[in-house]
Amino acid sequence: MANVSLKHIYKVYPNGTKAVNDFNMDIADKEFIVFVGPSGCGKSTTLRMIAGLEDISAGELKIGDTVVNDMEPKDRDIAMVFQNYALYPHMTVYENIAFGLRLRKLPKDEIHNKVVEAAEILGITEYLNKKPKEMSGGQRQRVALGRAIVREPKVMLLDEPLSNLDAKLRTQMRAEISKLYKKLGTTFIYVTHDQVEAMTMGTRIVVMKNGYVQQIDTPKNLYNYPANKFVAGFIGTPQMSFFEGTLKKDGEFVIIKFDRSNAEIKAPYSMLYKAKPSILDGKTKVYIGLRAEDISVVDNAGKDCAVIDVVVSHKEELGSETLIYGELCGGEEGAGESRIIIKDDGGREINAGDVVKVALDIGKVHLFDKETERSVMPRIPEYNYLDCQVKDGKLIFHNASFDLPSAVKCVDAKGELLLPLNAVTLDGELKAEVLSCEYINGVYLLSMSINGNRLFALSREKVESSTVNIGIDFKKITVIADGEKVIQPIPEVNSFDCSFIKRKTRRSIEQNGKVKNKKMIEFGFLTEDVFFAASDEAAQKIFSALGVKKAVTSQFKMECGIYDISVSDSGIPACVNRILDYGKDIFLKCAVGENTVYVKTDKEYVGDIFLAPDMDKIGIAESERDIKII
Ligand code: ADP
């Protein structure tokens, strides 16, 4: 039993294919995690890196509390089940299951007991003396599972184990693997391209595309709250229908207009209160997504019903229900996708060519930005988008006024405030009424009211009180007036170009009671001609990501947080351009070569200074392939 942690995991194959990019996930002990996505999205590569069958290009992989990047597969306490079973054809089932245990030189009795127990769990006791070729695909896969079980691994890895089985057997084995998982109480990581398998088996699912994680969530949340159009289309059968259109706010409603239909549909604004307001301008293009079960054929347009006309192209009779495929009619010709799939109870006679009236369950609509394809109704919004005014050194929004610290004082202006949720602190002066406190994937989304206007914030803890005091972290805000950013946030991370070098040095070492001055070789990072020694661990990570030769010829970016670099007696030469006083915090805005660097300070320095990053907290990214190594 073990948790598995993947931090900034990358895989770049020798031919340059970036199969996995910045994979981050904490898998808890006893979870059943499914990696799902279309062929080539990087799911097997990720699993094989966990198994140790594939080198990790960069990042840190932990099983339990141990970093296992360089550990042999056999020492990782994992067991893997493959699509092709990988059984030894000349051995009996018994011998196949016992094989690994024999290699580990376990006593005969113990091996026997384990094999018999595993065979019982899997219902293959009567086949123990048979050879794999005498068994069906399903039975062979059970043997492969048996071989994995007897190892009593901390983590079970399964790579498309059911792909070679026919549909009926697959459904049966799916249930059996789920049962086995419950019985064993072990962490399972399961790879499949089949979203039904993922949805029915996983406690959480990782949806991948082109080497990037798209969303990690429970099956229910993926279905109800897909983060982008890809996830929405990939999860659920039949596939979600998508149309292009626009959204326009109209009082307490939003009018959804389809490009390929003359219909206009009114949705309550309460559905879209987390959306970026500019998307509700009636011009910005969005994708409107609806699942087949949320669309139905109706005889008459009800009064408040969202109804559109559809030309039927064909249908699929599934017995208890019928899937009707059609095209939206009316509207602009050729304006994007128009295919619609409808689930009907099959009670009426519908034929190809018919024009039918179709009702849409607007409460179930999904909306995606056409440019980014990200949901415009996210569970956690990225920003509070607020009308604001800067006047006499004060920032005014929602009829509330905040004194601007000197760091962000600017000329009087009217415009839009982009206030990230983590810039709303719960320790300020202004009272806000708590409207709701919603738990979403590890954090609480606070929805509050200030003078009747909504404001979002995040909290690590549940907020039970009806009011909270809020403040603003002015380092994080943006104010846009007349298309110009009159107030800008400071970046949270500074970035320097650097190289990784080897140098000779002398160090005093005590040996047999005598202090000796010894020649040594040390590795470190060179930025702006200043050397910073790398820890052994950091150097090791660079070598294992690149090899010794490439490590010293590659270009890197050293990244350090604005709190993780300080003024020092020696270090990177910098020139202070400005002192930024945010009230609670003071920062120096410095020029380092061509770059601007921000540094937290307690004193107000002027002119030339030296900066020293905290080497335990820096990040290192390789520039050429853009992969994070530390
Ligand atoms: P999936 O399991 O999602 O189908 P894989 O992890 O097998 O995808 O592959 C991810 C990407 O890496 C694909 O583009 C594939 O072609 C590529 N790839 C896989 N194995 C290798 C390899 N040994 N050498 C080069 N490229 C590879």
Side-chain angles (χ1 to χ4, degrees), residues 407 475 490 494 561-568 574 576-590 597-612:
K475 288 193 299 297
I490 60 172
N494 294 303
I562 52 179
Y563 293 96
D564 302 328
I565 182 166
S566 53
V567 179
S568 173
V576 178
N577 281 343
R578 248 189 98 184
I579 293 167
L580 299 169
D581 187 345
Y582 284 98
K584 277 189 206 154
D585 291 333
I586 303 176
F587 288 85
L588 303 173
K589 182 180 179 186
C590 309
V597 170
Y598 295 86
V599 183
K600 165 91 168 69
T601 182
D602 299 324
K603 271 202 334 224
E604 299 194 355
Y605 294 90
V606 285
D608 294 331
I609 54 167
F610 292 106
L611 300 176

CSV table of all heavy atoms in Angstrom, one decimal, residues 407 475 490 494 561-568 574 576-590 597-612:
chain,number,residue,atom,x,y,z
A,407,ALA,N,3.3,51.6,-4.0
A,407,ALA,CA,3.8,50.8,-5.1
A,407,ALA,C,2.9,50.8,-6.3
A,407,ALA,O,3.4,50.6,-7.5
A,407,ALA,CB,4.0,49.3,-4.7
A,475,LYS,N,-0.2,43.3,-4.8
A,475,LYS,CA,0.9,42.8,-5.7
A,475,LYS,C,0.3,42.1,-6.9
A,475,LYS,O,1.0,41.8,-7.9
A,475,LYS,CB,1.8,41.8,-4.9
A,475,LYS,CG,2.7,42.4,-3.9
A,475,LYS,CD,3.8,41.5,-3.5
A,475,LYS,CE,3.2,40.2,-2.8
A,475,LYS,NZ,2.5,40.4,-1.6
A,490,ILE,N,3.1,42.1,-9.9
A,490,ILE,CA,4.5,41.8,-10.0
A,490,ILE,C,4.6,40.2,-10.2
A,490,ILE,O,3.8,39.5,-9.6
A,490,ILE,CB,5.5,42.3,-8.9
A,490,ILE,CG1,5.1,41.7,-7.5
A,490,ILE,CG2,5.6,43.8,-8.9
A,490,ILE,CD1,6.1,42.1,-6.4
A,494,ASN,N,11.1,35.0,-10.4
A,494,ASN,CA,12.1,35.7,-11.2
A,494,ASN,C,12.8,34.6,-12.1
A,494,ASN,O,12.9,33.4,-11.6
A,494,ASN,CB,13.1,36.3,-10.4
A,494,ASN,CG,12.6,37.5,-9.6
A,494,ASN,OD1,12.0,38.4,-10.1
A,494,ASN,ND2,12.7,37.4,-8.2
A,561,GLY,N,11.5,32.3,-6.6
A,561,GLY,CA,10.4,33.1,-6.1
A,561,GLY,C,10.8,34.4,-5.6
A,561,GLY,O,12.0,34.5,-5.1
A,562,ILE,N,9.9,35.4,-5.6
A,562,ILE,CA,10.3,36.7,-5.1
A,562,ILE,C,10.6,36.8,-3.6
A,562,ILE,O,11.3,37.7,-3.2
A,562,ILE,CB,9.2,37.8,-5.5
A,562,ILE,CG1,7.9,37.3,-5.0
A,562,ILE,CG2,9.2,38.0,-7.0
A,562,ILE,CD1,6.8,38.3,-5.3
A,563,TYR,N,10.2,35.7,-2.9
A,563,TYR,CA,10.6,35.6,-1.5
A,563,TYR,C,11.8,34.8,-1.3
A,563,TYR,O,12.3,34.7,-0.2
A,563,TYR,CB,9.4,35.0,-0.7
A,563,TYR,CG,8.2,35.9,-0.7
A,563,TYR,CD1,7.2,35.7,-1.6
A,563,TYR,CD2,8.1,36.9,0.3
A,563,TYR,CE1,6.0,36.5,-1.6
A,563,TYR,CE2,6.9,37.7,0.3
A,563,TYR,CZ,5.9,37.5,-0.6
A,563,TYR,OH,4.8,38.3,-0.6
A,564,ASP,N,12.3,34.2,-2.4
A,564,ASP,CA,13.4,33.2,-2.2
A,564,ASP,C,14.8,33.8,-2.7
A,564,ASP,O,15.7,33.1,-3.1
A,564,ASP,CB,13.1,31.9,-3.0
A,564,ASP,CG,11.9,31.3,-2.4
A,564,ASP,OD1,11.6,31.5,-1.2
A,564,ASP,OD2,11.1,30.7,-3.2
A,565,ILE,N,14.9,35.1,-2.8
A,565,ILE,CA,16.1,35.8,-3.2
A,565,ILE,C,16.3,37.0,-2.3
A,565,ILE,O,15.3,37.7,-2.0
A,565,ILE,CB,16.1,36.1,-4.7
A,565,ILE,CG1,17.4,36.8,-5.2
A,565,ILE,CG2,14.9,37.0,-5.1
A,565,ILE,CD1,17.5,36.8,-6.7
A,566,SER,N,17.5,37.3,-1.9
A,566,SER,CA,17.7,38.4,-1.0
A,566,SER,C,18.9,39.2,-1.3
A,566,SER,O,19.8,38.7,-2.0
A,566,SER,CB,17.7,37.9,0.4
A,566,SER,OG,18.7,36.9,0.5
A,567,VAL,N,19.0,40.4,-0.7
A,567,VAL,CA,20.2,41.2,-0.9
A,567,VAL,C,21.3,40.6,0.0
A,567,VAL,O,21.1,40.1,1.1
A,567,VAL,CB,19.9,42.7,-0.4
A,567,VAL,CG1,21.1,43.6,-0.6
A,567,VAL,CG2,18.7,43.2,-1.2
A,568,SER,N,22.5,40.6,-0.6
A,568,SER,CA,23.6,39.9,0.1
A,568,SER,C,24.9,40.7,-0.1
A,568,SER,O,25.0,41.6,-0.9
A,568,SER,CB,23.7,38.5,-0.6
A,568,SER,OG,24.8,37.8,-0.1
A,574,ALA,N,23.2,43.7,-9.3
A,574,ALA,CA,21.9,44.2,-9.7
A,574,ALA,C,21.9,45.7,-9.3
A,574,ALA,O,22.6,46.2,-8.5
A,574,ALA,CB,20.8,43.5,-8.9
A,576,VAL,N,19.2,48.7,-8.2
A,576,VAL,CA,17.8,49.0,-7.8
A,576,VAL,C,17.2,50.1,-8.6
A,576,VAL,O,17.7,51.2,-8.7
A,576,VAL,CB,17.8,49.4,-6.3
A,576,VAL,CG1,16.3,49.7,-5.9
A,576,VAL,CG2,18.4,48.3,-5.4
A,577,ASN,N,16.0,49.8,-9.3
A,577,ASN,CA,15.4,50.8,-10.1
A,577,ASN,C,14.3,51.5,-9.3
A,577,ASN,O,14.0,52.7,-9.5
A,577,ASN,CB,14.7,50.2,-11.3
A,577,ASN,CG,15.7,49.9,-12.4
A,577,ASN,OD1,16.7,50.4,-12.4
A,577,ASN,ND2,15.3,49.0,-13.3
A,578,ARG,N,13.6,50.7,-8.4
A,578,ARG,CA,12.5,51.3,-7.7
A,578,ARG,C,12.3,50.6,-6.4
A,578,ARG,O,12.6,49.4,-6.3
A,578,ARG,CB,11.2,51.2,-8.5
A,578,ARG,CG,10.6,52.4,-9.0
A,578,ARG,CD,9.2,52.2,-9.6
A,578,ARG,NE,8.2,52.5,-8.7
A,578,ARG,CZ,6.9,52.3,-8.9
A,578,ARG,NH1,6.5,51.8,-10.1
A,578,ARG,NH2,6.0,52.6,-8.0
A,579,ILE,N,11.7,51.3,-5.4
A,579,ILE,CA,11.3,50.6,-4.2
A,579,ILE,C,9.8,50.5,-4.2
A,579,ILE,O,9.1,51.5,-4.4
A,579,ILE,CB,11.8,51.3,-2.9
A,579,ILE,CG1,13.4,51.2,-2.9
A,579,ILE,CG2,11.2,50.8,-1.7
A,579,ILE,CD1,14.0,52.2,-2.0
A,580,LEU,N,9.3,49.3,-4.1
A,580,LEU,CA,7.8,49.1,-4.2
A,580,LEU,C,7.3,48.8,-2.8
A,580,LEU,O,7.5,47.8,-2.3
A,580,LEU,CB,7.5,47.9,-5.2
A,580,LEU,CG,8.0,48.1,-6.6
A,580,LEU,CD1,7.9,46.8,-7.4
A,580,LEU,CD2,7.2,49.2,-7.3
A,581,ASP,N,6.6,49.8,-2.3
A,581,ASP,CA,6.0,49.6,-1.0
A,581,ASP,C,4.5,49.2,-1.1
A,581,ASP,O,3.7,50.0,-1.5
A,581,ASP,CB,6.2,51.0,-0.2
A,581,ASP,CG,5.8,50.8,1.2
A,581,ASP,OD1,5.1,49.8,1.6
A,581,ASP,OD2,6.1,51.7,2.0
A,582,TYR,N,4.3,48.0,-0.7
A,582,TYR,CA,2.9,47.5,-0.7
A,582,TYR,C,2.2,47.5,0.7
A,582,TYR,O,1.2,46.9,0.9
A,582,TYR,CB,2.9,46.0,-1.2
A,582,TYR,CG,3.1,45.9,-2.7
A,582,TYR,CD1,4.3,45.6,-3.2
A,582,TYR,CD2,2.0,46.1,-3.6
A,582,TYR,CE1,4.5,45.6,-4.6
A,582,TYR,CE2,2.2,46.1,-5.0
A,582,TYR,CZ,3.5,45.8,-5.5
A,582,TYR,OH,3.7,45.7,-6.8
A,583,GLY,N,2.8,48.3,1.6
A,583,GLY,CA,2.2,48.4,2.9
A,583,GLY,C,2.8,47.3,3.8
A,583,GLY,O,3.8,47.5,4.5
A,584,LYS,N,2.3,46.1,3.6
A,584,LYS,CA,2.8,45.0,4.5
A,584,LYS,C,4.2,44.6,4.0
A,584,LYS,O,5.0,44.2,4.8
A,584,LYS,CB,1.9,43.8,4.3
A,584,LYS,CG,0.7,43.8,5.3
A,584,LYS,CD,0.0,42.5,5.2
A,584,LYS,CE,-1.5,42.7,5.6
A,584,LYS,NZ,-2.3,41.7,5.0
A,585,ASP,N,4.4,44.5,2.7
A,585,ASP,CA,5.7,44.1,2.1
A,585,ASP,C,6.3,45.2,1.3
A,585,ASP,O,5.7,46.0,0.7
A,585,ASP,CB,5.4,42.9,1.1
A,585,ASP,CG,4.9,41.7,1.8
A,585,ASP,OD1,5.3,41.5,2.9
A,585,ASP,OD2,4.2,40.9,1.1
A,586,ILE,N,7.7,45.1,1.3
A,586,ILE,CA,8.4,46.1,0.5
A,586,ILE,C,9.3,45.2,-0.5
A,586,ILE,O,9.9,44.2,-0.1
A,586,ILE,CB,9.3,47.0,1.2
A,586,ILE,CG1,8.5,47.8,2.3
A,586,ILE,CG2,10.1,48.0,0.3
A,586,ILE,CD1,9.4,48.7,3.2
A,587,PHE,N,9.2,45.6,-1.8
A,587,PHE,CA,10.1,44.9,-2.8
A,587,PHE,C,11.0,45.9,-3.5
A,587,PHE,O,10.7,47.0,-3.6
A,587,PHE,CB,9.1,44.2,-3.8
A,587,PHE,CG,8.4,43.0,-3.3
A,587,PHE,CD1,7.2,43.2,-2.6
A,587,PHE,CD2,9.0,41.8,-3.4
A,587,PHE,CE1,6.6,42.1,-2.1
A,587,PHE,CE2,8.3,40.7,-2.9
A,587,PHE,CZ,7.1,40.8,-2.2
A,588,LEU,N,12.1,45.3,-3.9
A,588,LEU,CA,13.0,46.1,-4.7
A,588,LEU,C,12.8,45.7,-6.2
A,588,LEU,O,12.8,44.4,-6.5
A,588,LEU,CB,14.5,45.8,-4.4
A,588,LEU,CG,14.9,46.1,-2.9
A,588,LEU,CD1,16.3,45.6,-2.7
A,588,LEU,CD2,14.7,47.6,-2.6
A,589,LYS,N,12.7,46.6,-7.1
A,589,LYS,CA,12.6,46.3,-8.5
A,589,LYS,C,14.0,46.6,-9.1
A,589,LYS,O,14.4,47.7,-9.0
A,589,LYS,CB,11.5,47.1,-9.2
A,589,LYS,CG,11.4,46.8,-10.6
A,589,LYS,CD,10.3,47.7,-11.3
A,589,LYS,CE,10.2,47.4,-12.8
A,589,LYS,NZ,9.3,48.4,-13.4
A,590,CYS,N,14.7,45.5,-9.5
A,590,CYS,CA,16.1,45.6,-9.9
A,590,CYS,C,16.3,45.3,-11.3
A,590,CYS,O,15.6,44.4,-11.9
A,590,CYS,CB,16.9,44.7,-9.0
A,590,CYS,SG,16.7,44.8,-7.3
A,597,VAL,N,14.2,42.0,-12.0
A,597,VAL,CA,14.1,41.0,-10.9
A,597,VAL,C,13.5,41.7,-9.7
A,597,VAL,O,13.8,42.9,-9.4
A,597,VAL,CB,15.5,40.5,-10.5
A,597,VAL,CG1,15.5,39.7,-9.3
A,597,VAL,CG2,16.0,39.7,-11.7
A,598,TYR,N,12.5,41.0,-9.0
A,598,TYR,CA,11.9,41.6,-7.8
A,598,TYR,C,12.4,40.8,-6.6
A,598,TYR,O,12.5,39.6,-6.6
A,598,TYR,CB,10.4,41.4,-8.0
A,598,TYR,CG,9.8,42.2,-9.1
A,598,TYR,CD1,9.7,41.7,-10.4
A,598,TYR,CD2,9.3,43.5,-8.8
A,598,TYR,CE1,9.2,42.5,-11.4
A,598,TYR,CE2,8.8,44.3,-9.9
A,598,TYR,CZ,8.7,43.8,-11.2
A,598,TYR,OH,8.2,44.5,-12.2
A,599,VAL,N,12.6,41.6,-5.6
A,599,VAL,CA,13.2,41.0,-4.4
A,599,VAL,C,12.5,41.5,-3.1
A,599,VAL,O,12.4,42.8,-3.0
A,599,VAL,CB,14.7,41.4,-4.3
A,599,VAL,CG1,15.4,40.7,-3.1
A,599,VAL,CG2,15.5,41.0,-5.5
A,600,LYS,N,12.1,40.7,-2.3
A,600,LYS,CA,11.5,41.1,-1.0
A,600,LYS,C,12.6,41.7,-0.1
A,600,LYS,O,13.7,41.1,-0.1
A,600,LYS,CB,10.9,39.9,-0.3
A,600,LYS,CG,10.5,40.0,1.1
A,600,LYS,CD,9.1,40.5,1.2
A,600,LYS,CE,8.6,40.4,2.6
A,600,LYS,NZ,9.2,41.3,3.6
A,601,THR,N,12.3,42.8,0.6
A,601,THR,CA,13.4,43.4,1.4
A,601,THR,C,12.8,44.0,2.6
A,601,THR,O,11.6,44.2,2.7
A,601,THR,CB,14.1,44.5,0.5
A,601,THR,OG1,15.1,45.1,1.3
A,601,THR,CG2,13.1,45.6,0.2
A,602,ASP,N,13.7,44.2,3.6
A,602,ASP,CA,13.3,44.8,4.9
A,602,ASP,C,13.8,46.2,4.9
A,602,ASP,O,13.4,47.1,5.7
A,602,ASP,CB,13.8,44.1,6.1
A,602,ASP,CG,13.3,42.7,6.1
A,602,ASP,OD1,12.1,42.5,5.7
A,602,ASP,OD2,14.0,41.8,6.5
A,603,LYS,N,14.8,46.5,4.0
A,603,LYS,CA,15.5,47.8,4.0
A,603,LYS,C,15.3,48.4,2.7
A,603,LYS,O,15.2,47.7,1.7
A,603,LYS,CB,17.0,47.6,4.4
A,603,LYS,CG,17.2,47.6,5.8
A,603,LYS,CD,18.6,48.0,6.3
A,603,LYS,CE,19.8,47.7,5.5
A,603,LYS,NZ,20.9,47.1,6.3
A,604,GLU,N,15.4,49.7,2.6
A,604,GLU,CA,15.3,50.4,1.3
A,604,GLU,C,16.7,50.6,0.7
A,604,GLU,O,17.3,51.6,1.0
A,604,GLU,CB,14.5,51.7,1.5
A,604,GLU,CG,13.1,51.4,2.0
A,604,GLU,CD,12.2,52.6,1.8
A,604,GLU,OE1,12.6,53.7,1.4
A,604,GLU,OE2,11.0,52.4,2.2
A,605,TYR,N,17.1,49.8,-0.2
A,605,TYR,CA,18.4,49.9,-0.8
A,605,TYR,C,18.3,50.8,-2.0
A,605,TYR,O,17.2,50.9,-2.6
A,605,TYR,CB,18.9,48.6,-1.3
A,605,TYR,CG,19.2,47.6,-0.1
A,605,TYR,CD1,18.3,46.8,0.3
A,605,TYR,CD2,20.5,47.6,0.4
A,605,TYR,CE1,18.5,45.9,1.4
A,605,TYR,CE2,20.8,46.7,1.5
A,605,TYR,CZ,19.8,45.9,1.9
A,605,TYR,OH,20.0,45.0,3.0
A,606,VAL,N,19.4,51.5,-2.3
A,606,VAL,CA,19.5,52.3,-3.6
A,606,VAL,C,20.8,51.9,-4.3
A,606,VAL,O,21.7,51.4,-3.7
A,606,VAL,CB,19.5,53.8,-3.4
A,606,VAL,CG1,18.1,54.3,-3.0
A,606,VAL,CG2,20.5,54.2,-2.4
A,607,GLY,N,20.8,52.1,-5.7
A,607,GLY,CA,22.0,51.9,-6.5
A,607,GLY,C,22.4,50.4,-6.6
A,607,GLY,O,21.5,49.5,-6.7
A,608,ASP,N,23.7,50.1,-6.7
A,608,ASP,CA,24.1,48.8,-7.0
A,608,ASP,C,24.1,47.9,-5.7
A,608,ASP,O,24.6,48.3,-4.7
A,608,ASP,CB,25.6,48.9,-7.5
A,608,ASP,CG,25.6,49.6,-8.9
A,608,ASP,OD1,24.5,49.5,-9.6
A,608,ASP,OD2,26.6,50.2,-9.2
A,609,ILE,N,23.6,46.7,-5.9
A,609,ILE,CA,23.5,45.7,-4.8
A,609,ILE,C,23.9,44.4,-5.4
A,609,ILE,O,24.1,44.2,-6.6
A,609,ILE,CB,22.1,45.7,-4.2
A,609,ILE,CG1,21.1,45.4,-5.2
A,609,ILE,CG2,21.8,46.9,-3.4
A,609,ILE,CD1,19.7,45.0,-4.7
A,610,PHE,N,24.0,43.4,-4.5
A,610,PHE,CA,24.2,42.0,-4.9
A,610,PHE,C,23.0,41.2,-4.4
A,610,PHE,O,22.5,41.4,-3.3
A,610,PHE,CB,25.5,41.4,-4.3
A,610,PHE,CG,26.7,42.0,-4.9
A,610,PHE,CD1,27.4,42.9,-4.1
A,610,PHE,CD2,27.2,41.7,-6.1
A,610,PHE,CE1,28.6,43.5,-4.6
A,610,PHE,CE2,28.3,42.3,-6.6
A,610,PHE,CZ,29.0,43.2,-5.9
A,611,LEU,N,22.6,40.2,-5.2
A,611,LEU,CA,21.5,39.3,-4.9
A,611,LEU,C,21.9,37.9,-4.8
A,611,LEU,O,22.7,37.4,-5.6
A,611,LEU,CB,20.4,39.4,-6.0
A,611,LEU,CG,19.8,40.8,-6.2
A,611,LEU,CD1,18.9,40.8,-7.4
A,611,LEU,CD2,19.1,41.3,-5.0
A,612,ALA,N,21.4,37.2,-3.8
A,612,ALA,CA,21.7,35.8,-3.6
A,612,ALA,C,20.4,35.0,-3.6
A,612,ALA,O,19.6,35.2,-2.7
A,612,ALA,CB,22.5,35.6,-2.4
